[in-house]
Amino acid sequence: MKKILITGGAGFIGSHVVRRFVNTYPDYQIVNLDKLTYAGNLENLRDIENKPNYRFVKGDIVEGAFIQSLFEAESFDAVIHLAAESHVDRSISSPLDFVLTNVVGTVNLLNAARQCWKDDYSSRRFYHVSTDEVYGTLGETGLFTEETAYDPHSPYSASKASSDHFVRAYADTYGMDTVISNCSNNYGSFHFPEKLIPLAINNIKNNKPVPVYGKGENIRDWLWVEDHARAIDVIFHQSASGQTYNIGGHNEWTNIDLIRTLCAVMDRKLGRAEGESAKLITFVTDRAGHDLRYAIDSSKLQRELGWTPSLQFEEGLEKTVDWYLENQEWLENVTSGNYQSYYQGQYSDR
Ligand code: NAD
Ligand code: DAU
């Protein structure tokens, strides 16, 4: 029996990872540690919350003494670390929050793991979930590989780059078994509607302007979130110690082409005249320091561990739109903040 700590499991990607591990590995004990910030939502996990191999702990990874005591009490065999401040725009207005959670929080987890595991690292693993944004930006050609030099531009990507460096430092200095993956933009269910795709779906549905930064020419490489969760599963179980894997969708879109495609899907789903939703597209002031292009070379992951994306983007986008239209209550709760009060009192605050 393995006891795995998954941090940030109430967030977008974390909830998919928790669900996958709880359902696929009934012999594992999964402990989900999450602070339940604005982005954390236990409704994302309603379908598995009563499973015997799942437990939720509310807590803040920035609180070092709490993290230490949790590790001492629980004897974890592994950590899959996803908890983070994740939104680039918020990092531009509040960079310190990103340093605290993404850097200090990660080092607190590493410290606690080191204290508890130092007599035998061989059967314990620290898996750090990171982003392709640590590599900075690409020009019109080329792909990010695992050898691309770090060159972060936003406070978010700088904090994630820093946390990656700390994870490698703990492997090099103390001999800890660590793995890092750097993934491109995810999309799918339970995505908080501050991010481009769910924000656009919500605004189109409500006939509100869809803000496109600058000229909409920036390029992102989109990956179905369940394919990311599967990649994490594969890497967690099969990677050699100390490895890094890039994860991506081989699926580059300019923001404006993506939004126009989404508008066409929404017209069809909502029974609107062709071109109706696209009238909502509104070009707004560009994001400061906006990276032009991200695109991942995930051939190492394919070659060594056999992972490839499973879903075509057009199919994934349809599924995503359907999910948001079928889960209006979830969307209304997260946009009104109701989900925080819904769960208030069920879990003691630390
Ligand atoms: P998210 O914002 O949806 O979820 C983050 C979760 O972390 C939330 O549940 C939140 O409550 C929790 N959290 C935040 N601060 C915390 C703290 N101090 N202590 C404990 N819990 C805390 O983020 P996401 O999009 O699911 O991203 C998850 C991870 O994957 C992040 O590390 C992010 O950098 C990385 N990532 C995201 C993407 C993407 O496209 N979203 C792509 C690559 C990598
Ligand atoms: O590449 C991986 C990263 O992808 C993750 O590490 C981050 O956690 C995740 O948030 C995401 O970052 P982006 O900044 O790429 O995602 P976002 O959805 O905020 O923006 C996607 C693109 O759309 C980006 O070029 C900015 C643009 N955009 C975004 C918003 C919110 C708009 O044009 N309008 C918007 O309203």
Side-chain angles (χ1 to χ4, degrees), residues 85-89 130-133 156 160 183-186 191 194-197 199 211-214 216 218-220 222 255 284 287 290-291 294:
E85 287 293 341
S86 67
H87 193 41
V88 173
D89 293 331
S130 192
T131 170
D132 60 357
E133 299 200 12
Y156 164 70
K160 292 296 291 187
C183 188
S184 63
N185 287 61
N186 287 212
H191 203 182
E194 63 186 353
K195 309 281 169 45
L196 181 67
I197 290 181
L199 176 97
V212 173
Y213 298 165
N218 303 69
I219 292 172
R220 297 293 182 265
W222 294 93
N255 293 334
V284 299
R287 174 184 279 173
H290 199 171
D291 286 334
Y294 304 146

Side-chain angles (χ1 to χ4, degrees), residues 10 12 28 73 96 152 187 248 258 261 279 301 320:
F12 166 47
Y28 290 3
L96 199 54
Y187 72 98
L258 167 53
T261 303
K279 291 181 190 158
L301 181 54
T320 303

Side-chain angles (χ1 to χ4, degrees), residues 128-277:
H128 179 58
V129 175
S130 192
T131 170
D132 60 357
E133 299 200 12
V134 299
Y135 299 124
T137 187
L138 292 162
E140 283 174 12
T141 58
L143 299 170
F144 294 135
T145 72
E146 289 80 2
E147 277 72 49
T148 303
Y150 276 32
D151 184 21
H153 296 137
S154 71
Y156 164 70
S157 53
S159 70
K160 292 296 291 187
S162 174
S163 62
D164 290 11
H165 289 317
F166 271 103
V167 172
R168 289 200 181 94
Y170 273 63
D172 292 345
T173 309
Y174 306 112
M176 196 181 277
D177 177 324
T178 64
V179 185
I180 299 175
S181 57
N182 298 84
C183 188
S184 63
N185 287 61
N186 287 212
Y187 72 98
S189 54
F190 303 113
H191 203 182
F192 194 82
E194 63 186 353
K195 309 281 169 45
L196 181 67
I197 290 181
L199 176 97
I201 293 172
N202 195 30
N203 286 14
I204 294 167
K205 181 170 75 67
N206 295 312
N207 268 309
K208 285 165 60 177
V210 178
V212 173
Y213 298 165
K215 294 179 181 161
E217 287 167 352
N218 303 69
I219 292 172
R220 297 293 182 265
D221 173 358
W222 294 93
L223 178 69
W224 174 241
V225 64
E226 293 181 32
D227 280 334
H228 186 190
R230 182 168 49 87
I232 289 172
D233 182 348
V234 166
I235 294 167
F236 176 76
H237 286 101
Q238 296 179 32
S239 167
S241 178
Q243 290 293 314
T244 293
Y245 287 95
N246 282 354
I247 310 171
H250 305 292
N251 179 43
E252 295 182 47
W253 287 77
T254 63
N255 293 334
I256 189 62
D257 284 350
L258 167 53
I259 292 300
R260 288 202 174 109
T261 303
L262 182 61
C263 285
V265 174
M266 292 294 282
D267 281 343
R268 198 157 29 79
K269 301 273 178 194
L270 297 171
R272 292 182 182 167
E274 203 180 315
E276 195 61 26
S277 298

